[in-house]
Every structure is written in C-alpha cells, then in structure tokens.
Amino acid sequence: DIVMTQSPDSLAVSLGERATINCRASQSVLHSSNNRNYLGWYQQKAGQPPKLLIYWASTRESGVPDRFSGSGSGTDFTLTINSLQAEDVAVYYCQQYYDTPQTFGQGTKVEVK
Amino acid sequence: QVQLQESGPGLVKPSETLSLTCTVSGGSINTYYWSWIRQPPGKGLEWIGYISYTGSTKYNPSLKSRVSISVDTSKNQFSLQLSSVTAADTAFYYCARQVGSQWMPYYSDCWGQGTLVTVSS
C-alpha cells in the first residue's frame, strides 16, 4: 500500500493568515503516461462528510474558494489556505488514487489561533 | 445535483454481517465508480472498495475476504456487505461517487452524509 503521511497533525492559525499542510507519499504518485499526480485533498468539518477541494494535486474543484491551492509533484505535496477564514476550521486529508487500495493521510486539524 | 444517501441498521452484533445500501438520486448510476469509505469515530478515513458502472469490483486487501459490493441499476442503488464483523468495524460508513477512467477510479467528488454502524452485542 502507498502510505500517505501528513504534517503537522494540527495547527492553529490566526484569521487572515496562511495555513500550510504537507503530505508525503511513500512512493511517487506521478503517472508517467499523462504527467498527472494522482493526489486529492479533502476538507471535513465536524459532523460532516469529507468534501473534495483539490484533485490532480492542483486543480480546484468547482465552487471551492481560490484561497485554497494545491502544489507539489511526485511524493511531496502541499495544501495552502491563504487568508484563513473561520469557516475553514476542519480536518484536511490528502488521498492518493494512483493505486488501489486508495489511501488517505492521517489528517491535519486546522484551528483558529 | 447528484445526492447519495446511506441506509441500513445502525447496530450489528459481533460475527454477523453488516449490510448498507446507498441510494443515488439526481443522476444515473450507470456511469462513474461507486465506492464505500469508512471512518471510526474520531479517526481517519479507510477506503473499503468500489464497483464500477460495468460491474467490476475492487476491494481493500485488508478487508477483501469479508467484503462485497454490488449494484442494482434498476433502483439506482449500490450496496455493501461486510461479514464476520467485530468491534473494530464500528465506524461511520460513507458511500461516494468516484470520477475515473475506463480503467480505474480517481477522486471522490460526491459523498453521502454517512451512517454510524456500531458493532455490539
């Protein structure tokens, strides 16, 4: 299985500041046939199902605010939340879909400082 | 707007079979991949497996011997069965739609609200 490791486990950021979450895969999730990174990011608010934010490592899902951005390639990826809003308090997960079983990171909890 | 809704018993006895159904509304089940994902309370996400619109399935090897996913296109539903459950199977179970190619599923763009299944005598 591809192991996904996120860092940090939690972080507290002041409103309006930037939050950065890292995700590392135990092997590359970059597919050579199409040069795409098979990596997604999800946001899960308390009591709700996960919501897709980013796919192909950097493509924002329709309706997702542009303060959310994804970057990285191969094994190292980053989710950045620019200008944190109160409604961004949640747990964020990365997921690889390069291979089955699809696997998730352990989650990063984002809180307001 | 596609919506997914899980249904099934919230309490299952140890050694019995957990059965859940996901009803898809607002779109056809005859496209995409359809998957189950679970989350123990307060913990992370575990992908259980999927069924494709062609009926092909793939399961997480950690559960493979106990899990089965099927589809009923006439009802626009797909189902999960997990046999020989233990307390470790207590979790929120989510159904989800996965975008994919003809060969494999990619990301999950639509999720049900989830249902808590507790394994206890």
Side-chain angles (χ1 to χ4, degrees):
Chain A
D1 297 6
I2 298 176
V3 177
M4 308 300 290
T5 304
Q6 293 180 226
S7 62
D9 289 333
S10 65
L11 75 160
V13 176
S14 299
L15 291 175
E17 297 299 307
R18 177 181 297 170
T20 301
I21 301 167
N22 300 302
C23 175
R24 174 165 288 175
S26 61
Q27 66 183 75
S28 177
V29 297
L30 174 63
H31 212 293
S32 56
S33 66
N34 56 14
N35 205 38
R36 281 179 162 177
N37 287 284
Y38 284 46
L39 190 285
W41 288 97
Y42 298 83
Q43 174 194 64
Q44 187 177 31
K45 297 182 179 180
Q48 295 185 20
K51 172 190 172 184
L52 177 67
L53 295 177
I54 302 280
Y55 55 94
W56 300 127
S58 61
T59 302
R60 234 180 346 262
E61 172 72 329
S62 175
V64 173
D66 60 7
R67 62 179 180 274
F68 291 92
S69 63
S71 62
S73 185
T75 60
D76 292 290
F77 301 90
T78 300
L79 175 70
T80 301
I81 311 172
N82 283 307
S83 188
L84 187 81
Q85 304 298 302
E87 62 263 33
D88 300 335
V89 167
V91 179
Y92 292 84
Y93 294 93
C94 60
Q95 180 209 19
Q96 66 79 19
Y97 43 92
Y98 181 91
D99 196 11
T100 54
Q102 296 186 353
T103 49
F104 295 86
Q106 80 277 17
T108 295
K109 187 174 185 178
V110 173
E111 299 173 304
V112 174
K113 187 186 292 183
Chain B
Q1 179 79 356
V2 171
Q3 292 186 315
L4 287 73
Q5 180 66 57
E6 304 89 351
S7 59
L11 181 64
V12 180
K13 290 182 168 55
S15 80
E16 295 190 345
T17 296
L18 178 161
S19 296
L20 295 174
T21 296
C22 182
T23 301
V24 179
S25 59
S28 173
I29 205 169
N30 287 319
T31 54
Y32 296 98
Y33 292 81
W34 304 93
S35 62
W36 289 95
I37 296 149
R38 70 179 183 178
Q39 183 176 38
K43 296 189 177 180
L45 299 161
E46 180 182 30
W47 180 82
I48 297 172
Y50 72 75
I51 188 163
S52 75
Y53 55 91
T54 62
S56 65
T57 56
K58 197 143 192 184
Y59 306 125
N60 193 321
S62 68
L63 301 168
K64 188 174 181 179
S65 62
R66 299 194 292 131
V67 68
S68 175
I69 298 175
S70 59
V71 65
D72 185 337
T73 55
S74 67
K75 295 182 179 178
N76 236 33
Q77 294 176 334
F78 64 105
S79 298
L80 169 70
Q81 289 202 314
L82 184 65
S83 63
S84 305
V85 297
T86 69
D89 296 309
T90 293
F92 288 93
Y93 285 78
Y94 297 100
C95 59
R97 184 180 79 173
Q98 291 196 266
V99 174
S101 70
Q102 65 182 102
W103 300 282
M104 64 184 290
Y106 301 148
Y107 47 88
S108 299
D109 69 338
C110 189
W111 297 63
Q113 283 300 306
T115 186
L116 176 62
V117 178
T118 302
V119 178
S120 175
S121 55

